[in-house]
Amino acid sequence: MKFLRSNRAFAVVTALVVLFLVVILGLAASLVRDRRAVALEESHAQAVRFVSGAEAAINRNLLGLDVVLASMDKVLKISLSMRDWIDSEAADQLIEGAMRQNLLASRIALVDAQGQVVASSDQARQQQDLNLSDAFLAEVIAQPVSTLVMSAPTVSFRSGEVVLFVARHLRLADGSKLVALAEVSVAQLTTILVQGVDIAGLQATVERSSGELLVAAPATEEIVGKRLPPLRTTVRESGTITPQPARLSGAPALVVARNTMYGGVFITASIPVAAALQDVERETQLTLAVAGALALMVLLAGAAALLYLRHLTNVQANMSQAKETLDQALESMVSGFVLLDAQQRVVNWNRRFMEIHPWLKGLVTPQVAFAELSMVTARHLMPQATDDQRQQWVTERMAALHGQHESRQATTAEGTILEISERPTPEGGTVIVYQDVTRLQRAIADVEMLAFYDPLTGLPNRRLLNDRLQQAIISSQRTGQLGALLFLDLDHFKTLNDTAGHLVGDMLLQQVAQRLLAAVRDQDTVARLGGDEFVVMLQSLSHEPLEAALQTKKVGESILLNLNMPYHLQDAEHTSTCSVGATLFGGNDQDASELLKQADIAMYQVKTSGRNALCFFDPAMLSALTVRAEMERNLRHALAQQQFVLHYQVQMDESGRAVGAEVLIRWMHPEQGMVPPLQFIPLAEETGLILAIGEWVLRTACLQLKAWETEPAAA
């Protein structure tokens, strides 16, 4: 202990740790450096081997094509023929046979200096399919000695693939030249280039010395017209390999190049340094991890003794502080808390637990059996029960401690709602938490009330009505008993609101709700949709539609009678009526919203027929409303499109002299023809369109009067 605390001991330990760290880091750096150099050497050798193999494969295949193209002179007797002597059809067949000798060429053709196809393995001989450049033809023909020349990559019009053309010239008898060429797929050359070699990160190219890219692996869509920077191969400086930019990606790489047997065309291989050192990076990380672990072990070993002794001196203080903190936390909890050991004896509890169970005051002590406290609780909660009943309650309560440990609710004699949660402890004991959720439960009830009930009348709202109506439809389908919907709308309710105020209107709505509830059975539903609209849903009516309709009518007439009775609103008597629409449901699959719509349509029919009555839904009502809505849309369209016309009927005096004219309006419908006023004027008055139509009539008539001023006959 004294050694560890002394400055000398600390200096010795520090020096040893530093020395050990320096040795470890030096060895690790040396291993990493040597492994990196070996990996680069191996990858460079791998690139050299690949280029050698690729060069042989490319040379072999190009030489095969060169032989086939050179044989065209012998096969077609070019040197003994003139341009016009060549039989194209016979030449096509001979070229096709020659092409079968080489699988690399997808097409072989014979063209003149202007690019016109003389013969081709593709007997269609479409010149435009070759997509030959004039510069390439000129280069082939300009060769002093017939030599194989490769074109730049181009897109084949026939296949849509990127291809190369290899060609050499053939001399005719008159000294002019033809060009024998073969079309080669770049994709196929790529396959020959890589030869199935699996080298991580390998980038291989066939390119000209000018940097023009001919073939690339991996394949790239940008090969056509692409030029690469000047070629620089990997060099060694003082025995160290110096990376160069990769030919395709430009990343630092080991680059090896080799010239093919055809001048100016190179094969290159680039292995990115990152790929070459991929395994080395993992080994480096492992080496550093091991070195770090060893260094950490040394540091930990040096600090462990000091930390251990310091820990021992602080444990007791920490335990005392932790106990004090725990006690404070338990006492500040808003929930009751009690901790039991494995034998179900009390270990700890808080103040809130005693507030929830005041009858246990003075009985809760450490190691008291929880069963004894439960018996006292049973006597408090069940004062009239027998001892056997209380013992049964205690037995069930203790059994619950070993059950599923799920939360449950209990209500005390004072009406407090408690949520009791029981959870096991690792030592086999139990933690019991008593939370007062009385306010929460009341808040949930209030939220449910606001969500499903009308706050003014306390009746179910539209949401709850839809739910009950859907359930009633399902029940009706199952039992066969019909149901009914009554849609009620108070007559002239807006007038009462405007004259007496909303407070009086609300009083009327509340009394209407009470009368509706008194007029129906408990199993029926009365709901308020909003404003002065109410809905009564009747269930368990007769199986027969006629009898169910009579039952509905009887209830509806009773409702009308009750609602027609005078109301007492702020010391004033008020009489109100209502319009009721009814529809039956059951027996088939129906939609709640459709039933409400039907009852609403029936109620609207009552409104238009004089109010204060009951009407059942008839499909003809829906048809009439549809026709009326269509007429209203057409009427608005007619006003916007100026489909109205005016007719002028002359007014004569006693002497037969014209003194004026009566204006008659007509609707010239584009499909129905002339529509008389009796068919659209009433609807225009109901919808308020009569004002706009009247304005149009007045303006048009005035314009006509102005026009008549210039006519002598109208003077």
Side-chain angles (χ1 to χ4, degrees):
M1 187 71 180
K2 294 179 180 180
F3 175 77
L4 291 176
R5 290 182 177 180
S6 66
N7 293 334
R8 182 178 178 183
F10 182 80
V12 170
V13 171
T14 303
L16 290 175
V17 170
V18 171
L19 178 61
F20 190 74
L21 290 177
V22 169
V23 171
I24 291 177
L25 293 178
L27 291 175
S30 177
L31 288 174
V32 170
R33 184 175 60 254
D34 294 344
R35 184 66 184 91
R36 179 185 176 90
V38 171
L40 291 177
E41 288 285 356
E42 291 176 350
S43 295
H44 186 268
Q46 196 175 27
V48 171
R49 291 193 297 271
F50 167 78
V51 169
S52 299
E55 176 202 4
I58 293 295
N59 285 340
R60 183 170 57 253
N61 283 273
L62 291 180
L63 181 61
L65 276 179
D66 196 7
V67 171
V68 171
L69 295 179
S71 68
M72 291 293 101
D73 187 9
K74 181 178 180 181
V75 171
L76 301 179
K77 298 181 175 56
I78 299 298
S79 60
L80 302 177
S81 301
M82 301 293 288
R83 167 70 170 82
D84 298 334
W85 297 356
I86 298 175
D87 184 353
S88 297
E89 294 183 358
D92 290 346
Q93 296 179 359
L94 292 173
I95 290 176
E96 183 178 2
M99 190 184 73
R100 294 195 188 99
Q101 301 175 14
N102 190 290
L103 299 178
L104 183 60
S106 58
R107 178 168 52 176
I108 296 178
L110 191 66
V111 301
D112 59 17
Q114 289 73 39
Q116 298 294 325
V117 178
V118 178
S120 172
S121 61
D122 181 6
Q123 298 182 11
R125 294 196 298 276
Q126 296 295 326
Q127 174 187 353
Q128 58 272 25
D129 287 351
L130 291 176
N131 193 16
L132 293 171
S133 69
D134 294 338
F136 173 64
L137 289 175
E139 180 184 1
V140 175
I141 293 174
Q143 298 295 321
V145 178
S146 182
T147 306
L148 191 71
V149 179
M150 297 177 65
S151 73
T154 185
V155 178
S156 172
F157 290 163
R158 179 180 63 170
S159 63
E161 293 183 317
V162 179
V163 298
L164 292 172
F165 292 102
V166 294
R168 64 184 302 144
H169 70 254
L170 303 176
R171 194 178 300 275
L172 291 166
D174 59 357
S176 61
K177 296 178 181 179
L178 295 179
V179 175
L181 58 86
E183 180 183 278
V184 180
S185 170
V186 169
Q188 193 169 358
L189 277 176
T190 303
T191 303
I192 295 173
L193 177 65
V194 297
Q195 310 172 67
V197 174
D198 184 15
I199 300 176
L202 175 67
Q203 301 174 21
T205 66
V206 177
E207 56 187 84
R208 299 186 194 276
S209 57
S210 62
E212 183 179 33
L213 184 61
L214 303 179
V215 180
T220 174
E221 297 180 356
E222 302 175 354
I223 188 172
V224 177
K226 184 171 183 179
R227 287 189 176 273
L228 301 177
L231 178 63
R232 291 188 300 164
T233 57
T234 300
V235 297
R236 295 175 181 270
E237 296 179 358
S238 302
T240 303
I241 295 178
T242 303
Q244 302 295 333
R247 299 304 292 157
L248 295 179
S249 65
L254 307 176
V255 182
V256 178
R258 197 156 190 151
N259 200 353
T260 64
M261 64 184 296
Y262 296 96
V265 178
F266 291 85
I267 296 175
T268 72
S270 303
I271 300 179
V273 173
L277 299 179
Q278 184 174 3
D279 293 337
V280 175
E281 293 297 334
R282 289 195 293 267
E283 294 176 5
T284 300
Q285 294 176 3
L286 180 60
T287 301
L288 294 178
V290 172
L294 292 175
L296 183 61
M297 290 174 61
V298 172
L299 293 175
L300 292 177
L306 293 175
L307 291 177
Y308 178 72
L309 293 176
R310 184 179 299 172
H311 174 71
L312 290 179
T313 58
N314 294 332
V315 165
Q316 187 174 3
N318 290 338
M319 290 180 61
S320 177
Q321 184 179 1
K323 185 178 184 304
E324 182 179 353
T325 302
L326 177 61
D327 291 340
Q328 292 177 354
L330 292 177
E331 292 302 319
S332 63
M333 289 177 60
V334 297
S335 301
F337 167 86
V338 62
L339 173 64
L340 307 180
D341 60 13
Q343 288 73 39
Q344 307 305 323
R345 293 174 300 189
V346 174
V347 177
N348 203 349
W349 69 96
N350 66 352
R351 173 185 51 81
R352 183 58 180 157
F353 173 75
M354 297 305 303
E355 292 176 353
I356 296 175
H357 305 85
W359 56 87
L360 298 179
K361 185 177 181 180
L363 301 177
V364 182
T365 58
Q367 299 301 311
V368 65
F370 190 69
E372 296 180 11
L373 300 180
S374 298
M375 179 58 73
V376 176
T377 301
R379 295 192 190 100
H380 176 78
L381 297 179
M382 301 183 295
Q384 306 299 328
T386 64
D387 290 341
D388 291 339
Q389 291 174 334
R390 293 168 183 164
Q391 185 60 48
Q392 178 65 27
W393 186 89
V394 172
T395 302
E396 294 176 356
R397 179 70 183 90
M398 298 304 295
L401 296 178
H402 302 87
Q404 298 297 323
H405 297 286
E406 296 180 352
S407 298
R408 65 183 186 278
Q409 288 187 354
T411 304
T412 65
E414 293 77 15
T416 302
I417 303 175
L418 298 176
E419 182 174 337
I420 305 173
S421 301
E422 299 168 350
R423 296 291 182 269
T425 64
E427 296 79 14
T430 307
V431 175
I432 308 177
V433 178
Y434 300 84
Q435 185 175 2
D436 187 348
V437 295
T438 306
R439 292 185 179 179
L440 177 62
Q441 292 298 322
R442 290 174 181 171
I444 293 174
D446 292 342
V447 170
E448 183 178 356
M449 185 69 182
L450 292 174
F452 295 102
Y453 292 89
D454 174 44
L456 178 63
T457 62
L459 297 177
N461 60 12
R462 183 184 294 271
R463 178 183 297 177
L464 183 56
L465 174 65
N466 285 335
D467 182 66
R468 291 187 180 180
L469 180 54
Q470 199 62 46
Q471 294 179 10
I473 293 172
I474 297 173
S475 176
S476 178
Q477 293 173 350
R478 184 177 64 254
T479 63
Q481 291 181 295
L482 300 178
L485 275 186
L486 299 176
F487 197 105
L488 293 81
D489 186 270
L490 301 182
D491 299 329
H492 308 297
F493 178 74
K494 185 177 183 301
T495 303
L496 175 65
N497 257 349
D498 294 341
T499 57
H502 291 282
L503 180 60
V504 175
D506 290 346
M507 294 174 61
L508 176 62
L509 294 175
Q510 290 172 341
Q511 294 186 29
V512 168
Q514 294 172 1
R515 295 186 184 186
L516 289 176
L517 288 172
V520 299
R521 303 165 297 177
D522 293 339
Q523 62 189 16
D524 300 325
T525 298
V526 179
R528 181 189 176 210
L529 300 186
D532 59 339
E533 294 180 342
F534 294 85
V535 171
V536 176
M537 182 181 71
L538 304 178
Q539 292 183 255
S540 302
L541 300 179
S542 174
H543 294 77
E544 298 297 330
L546 180 57
E547 185 176 351
L550 292 175
Q551 294 172 339
T552 303
K553 181 180 179 183
K554 182 178 179 180
V555 175
E557 291 174 346
S558 175
I559 289 174
L560 285 173
L561 182 61
N562 289 337
L563 297 186
N564 286 343
M565 300 294 291
Y567 298 87
H568 297 282
L569 308 175
Q570 287 188 343
D571 299 329
E573 188 174 277
H574 175 75
T575 301
S576 176
T577 62
C578 74
S579 301
V580 183
T583 185
L584 298 178
F585 64 85
N588 52 16
D589 190 13
Q590 294 173 297
D591 183 68
S593 60
E594 184 64 25
L595 291 174
L596 286 172
K597 179 181 178 181
Q598 292 177 3
D600 189 17
I601 291 173
M603 183 276 297
Y604 178 80
Q605 184 65 25
V606 176
K607 289 282 188 183
T608 58
S609 302
R611 297 182 172 85
N612 196 25
L614 170 69
C615 177
F616 279 87
F617 171 75
D618 186 350
M621 297 178 186
L622 183 59
S623 300
L625 286 178
T626 303
V627 171
R628 183 183 184 278
E630 181 65 23
M631 175 70 79
E632 182 179 345
R633 284 195 298 271
N634 291 339
L635 193 60
R636 294 182 185 276
H637 183 74
L639 184 61
Q641 299 297 321
Q642 301 289 324
Q643 294 179 359
F644 297 109
V645 295
L646 296 182
H647 293 266
Y648 302 92
Q649 182 172 326
V650 180
Q651 303 291 319
M652 312 291 289
D653 59 9
E654 295 178 353
S655 62
R657 187 170 63 89
V659 295
E662 180 182 4
V663 179
L664 304 176
I665 188 172
R666 297 291 184 271
W667 179 5
M668 183 59 70
H669 195 282
E671 297 177 358
Q672 301 176 10
M674 189 71 72
V675 180
L678 290 178
Q679 293 187 15
F680 67 87
I681 291 298
L683 179 60
E685 293 176 345
E686 292 180 16
T687 58
L689 291 174
I690 193 66
L691 298 177
I693 294 175
E695 181 182 351
W696 177 86
V697 170
L698 183 61
R699 184 172 60 255
T700 305
C702 290
L703 292 174
Q704 185 61 53
L705 286 174
K706 183 65 176 178
W708 280 342
E709 289 181 357
T710 60
E711 297 184 10

